[in-house]
Amino acid sequence: MMKSFDDLIKRPVTWLSGEGEHANVVLSSRIRLARNLSKHRYPVRAEPDEAREVVELVRTVVDRSELVKEGIFFNSESLTPDDREILIERHLISPEFMRDEAPRGLFVDDDEASSLMVNEEDHMRIQAVRSGLDIRQALQRARTIERHLAEGLDFDCDTRLGFLTACPTNVGTGLRVSIMIHLPALVLTKEMDTVLSQVNKFGVGVRGFYGEGSDVLGNLFQISNQTTLGRTEEDLVDSLEKVTRQLLMYEENARRRLFTDAPNHIRDKLWRAFGILANARVLSSQEVMNLLSAVRLGVAMGESMGLDLRQVNELMLSVQPAHLQRHFEKEMTTEERDVARAEMVRKMLTRKRTTRRRGPRKSGEN
Amino acid sequence: MMKSFDDLIKRPVTWLSGEGEHANVVLSSRIRLARNLSKHRYPVRAEPDEAREVVELVRTVVDRSELVKEGIFFNSESLTPDDREILIERHLISPEFMRDEAPRGLFVDDDEASSLMVNEEDHMRIQAVRSGLDIRQALQRARTIERHLAEGLDFDCDTRLGFLTACPTNVGTGLRVSIMIHLPALVLTKEMDTVLSQVNKFGVGVRGFYGEGSDVLGNLFQISNQTTLGRTEEDLVDSLEKVTRQLLMYEENARRRLFTDAPNHIRDKLWRAFGILANARVLSSQEVMNLLSAVRLGVAMGESMGLDLRQVNELMLSVQPAHLQRHFEKEMTTEERDVARAEMVRKMLTRKRTTRRRGPRKSGEN
């Protein structure tokens, strides 16, 4: 099992590929479908035995379906605390998924483009993610997984309300659409507050890089629908896409304005960030995200910083504490991590500058 | 004449060579001797005709001596405002020397290791400068010039007081010893105030990079004797040297402590400065000096930043406004200069990193 886990996390993360529509601004489009079994108590109420039964039920269905060929199923017991941190940083599981030792399960497909959590808040949380603005493809993948599961499982469903879920906000479609969007120009021009108040009117919520209650790091915002009840999947997808395109337009205008009105000053800001990243000896996880945000804007605006969007996206993941420890193969204090982080970033940025002609670096080399 | 001026300023500045004793901390040792003619009114009282007569008198003596083979004599009328700014930045003349259009003269030797101002505050101000801590050699050179002048001129002298000067603080030897010293570690460790109050007790004054009343830029301090009356040259030199060695020791201890107690943090600070210099698109003259101060400390502590002390010293001069304009061959606004300065520094730092194996860069290439 651990062999497979290591294989998994060494592979490139598809949703960080920097490809797809509007990848300059939109990092990823993520779909989550919440489903529950009709004949079992919900995770929060289930005794360990029943929870274990649910994991095995789902696992059996996965094993019998085509899904088994496309990924790996983990029982939560097989995951060390470090493994869990890694999965959280990769957005494959939520922090809640590991809050206690209750039996849980996780299916992840080989390219991490989709996953399935068993016994998080709901019995099943199906997730699918695509690089760039591509909600529909993500939804299609989530539906495929749902179909496979439906072949062997009875979903808890109410003819009037739709799918039932542990939290009332998810009742109905059980759908959440989340867009990870990079808005450095709107932050720089101090337009975010105005923009956010407009977005909120559309029933769209805004969160930080690591979901609910997390801080905004590196000007990365997650926008998602707040409710699902009484609306169709299509409706939700349309409305999220509409809001995203609006944000996109605001951000692109702000970027253009920054580069037109004061090109030297904005380029100065971005290149200083690059210079600090390429030379610092101590980098906190918060500072590194803000600096990488500036470099990402630079790369998106065509500054020749010797790396591409994918490499910046992947760096944003590699510098997270658990990934950093995995890379250096040792437990570290915060201070040690800050030094190791600076070392990693420095090596990557300088290596990239000298080897960029040889084509993109393999993510697995990290 | 202009041909000669351009030749002059294209040559390396000897006192920035980064050589000599304790060059890691001491940039230069400077001697100034003030002398006046006994039969002419002092510059502040002299009519233009008399001032012109003094210039010609001194010039004739220089022309007849060996000095004429070693340098160039300029009449102030032949120097454009830009030329004057350049000379001020090179510490060859004082701002006071050009405060009005009164007739003045300037002799500079070929390597800018010594100069003679005619009709500054006094009829003659002899200056000699050496890289590193080398007060005695500087004094010897100043005395040689004085001897040449004495062969054809009568100095205003009082048997009891010694040499007479326009300002009473210079009466006696007319000697000022100035040490340009780089004290970044004492500033960082916030010990400067304590150190300065000790230094002041010895009748030693502390000024900024550009003399009297100027700001401290880049942690460069000029320390010099405050009075000369009633003391011998030897006495003054000894006391300045003693104070300098004390400051040196404090600074070296502070550097050692910084690198022992928190090596990552001090290296982080210095390398960030390097990274900003190598990547910024806008650099004010004040910021660039502070960043170069950090880089100078890094180079002095053996960080392989791809440049040597001389190159850092010379950069500190090249980034000054008049030198910058001369380099780009155009008048610029402050904003334009900040952009041009960043461009110049960036190119120098990156060029140096790639070509450093080929040996030191010729200063004349600027």
Side-chain angles (χ1 to χ4, degrees), chain A residues 126-149:
Chain A
I126 302 162
Q127 183 182 257
V129 61
R130 301 279 298 181
S131 180
L133 180 54
D134 193 1
I135 308 176
R136 273 151 232 283
Q137 284 289 320
L139 181 58
Q140 197 173 309
R141 172 70 185 160
R143 279 177 176 157
T144 303
I145 297 176
E146 191 210 17
R147 234 182 354 259
H148 286 302
L149 296 174

Side-chain angles (χ1 to χ4, degrees), chain A residues 78-95:
Chain A
S78 73
L79 298 170
T80 68
D82 286 351
D83 293 343
R84 297 166 186 200
E85 289 298 324
I86 293 248
L87 292 171
I88 290 172
E89 287 176 0
R90 291 170 94 84
H91 294 255
L92 285 170
I93 63 173
S94 55

